[in-house]
Amino acid sequence: YLSAALRVNESLEELDLCDNEITRVGAVELAAALPVKKKLRKLRLGGNDLGDTGVEAITKTVPHSGLRLLTLD
């Protein structure tokens, strides 16, 4: 649901999702929404169980997004 909400939100610049029990599946879904979020500048994901697959999916999308700050710890 989060990734769908992100796709339609036009003004979000900062998102703190720390300690939200996001797993690798959620991280992959989130990563799919990031390239269309050109205004999103800061994303915090610390305290989640993203796994290697989730971290890889998110970090691969960073160059194609508007992110300037990504924290995973």
Side-chain angles (χ1 to χ4, degrees):
Y1 300 118
L2 176 62
S3 63
L6 281 176
R7 286 187 177 102
V8 296
N9 183 301
E10 298 292 326
S11 61
L12 188 66
E13 294 181 11
E14 222 174 293
L15 184 59
D16 186 341
L17 294 173
C18 291
D19 301 311
N20 273 282
E21 298 181 15
I22 298 172
T23 64
R24 66 176 175 78
V25 173
V28 169
E29 288 292 320
L30 180 60
L34 290 179
V36 297
K37 300 312 310 165
K38 299 298 183 189
K39 289 188 178 182
L40 184 63
R41 299 289 186 236
K42 298 178 184 177
L43 177 60
R44 293 179 176 86
L45 293 169
N48 292 293
D49 187 18
L50 306 178
D52 292 340
T53 305
V55 170
E56 182 179 348
I58 288 174
T59 56
K60 280 185 175 180
T61 63
V62 169
H64 308 288
S65 72
L67 284 178
R68 300 293 176 255
L69 176 65
L70 172 64
T71 56
L72 300 172
D73 60 353

